Amino acid sequence: MRILAIDTALGACSACLFETGRSELLARETIPMERGHAEALLPLIDRVTSQVDGGFGALSRVAVTVGPGSYTGLRVGIAAARAIGLTTGIPVVGVATLSAFLAPLMAGERRGLFTAAIDAKHGQIYVQAIGAGGRAIIPPGLMGYREVIRLLGSGPLLVAGTAAEALAIEARAQGVEVAVCDQAPGPDIAWVARLGAMADPAQALPKPLYLREPDAKPQDGARIARR
């Protein structure tokens, strides 16, 4: 199975081609960026797919990060993935951004409370934590730094994500042992592809996972009445 993976959820625009049964990616490209995903994504996908024989016609599935993340970035990636799926007639699956940060931690040799932390602004983070045996310590959610540390307890913590260092500072201030494993601007696109390969298309739908309401809301008081 050959998979095109796409990520525009956070501070990077990424795509790769992954084939199950192979350890190395067929092609990949990542561009760090805070804005401009809409303009960068389709040319980036074209460059990635053109590196491998068969192009879009050889794809079996598309995997795309569905959040949490930037509202605009998520819409860009999901729209592109759905369009490719409709054009080629192949399944499109969604991969949670927190899961993509957690996966390499859980696949490594180090042990502790596996924690993914993404900056949500306003002193909050999107967070998910998993303990030994896959036990859920914190389900995917939005909360403040101190509340996260209170729920995680004494550690040790293995943390990845855009808010990893900030969470580590708070943890150390409270005497909790912590190691920052990854603070890249986005998840490793290879892990988005691997998780996408294992996902059930009937369950892992390409729908946005926001975890909170948008910051911008309609001003009802200034709304003009419709006739």
Side-chain angles (χ1 to χ4, degrees), residues 43 55 62 87 97 104 110 112 122 148 167-168 179 183-184 186 205 227:
V62 182
T87 303
T97 318
R110 302 175 72 175
H122 312 299
V148 171
L167 182 61
Q183 50 182 334
L205 302 178
R227 295 181 179 179

Side-chain angles (χ1 to χ4, degrees), residues 4-94:
L4 170 65
I6 298 168
D7 170 49
T8 55
L10 298 168
C13 185
S14 301
C16 79
L17 287 175
F18 170 73
E19 193 163 88
T20 54
R22 300 184 57 158
S23 58
E24 299 295 326
L25 296 179
L26 300 176
R28 72 181 295 164
E29 184 175 344
T30 295
I31 305 174
M33 59 172 57
E34 292 296 331
R35 296 177 180 82
H37 297 79
E39 295 77 14
L41 180 59
L42 292 181
L44 186 151
I45 290 174
D46 185 60
R47 291 193 298 271
V48 168
T49 55
S50 66
Q51 295 180 44
V52 180
D53 291 339
F56 289 102
L59 295 177
S60 307
R61 177 178 293 190
V62 182
V64 60
T65 47
V66 294
S70 158
Y71 288 92
T72 302
L74 292 175
R75 289 194 293 270
V76 168
I78 292 171
R82 286 175 172 171
I84 294 169
L86 287 172
T87 303
T88 58
I90 60 176
V92 180
V93 297

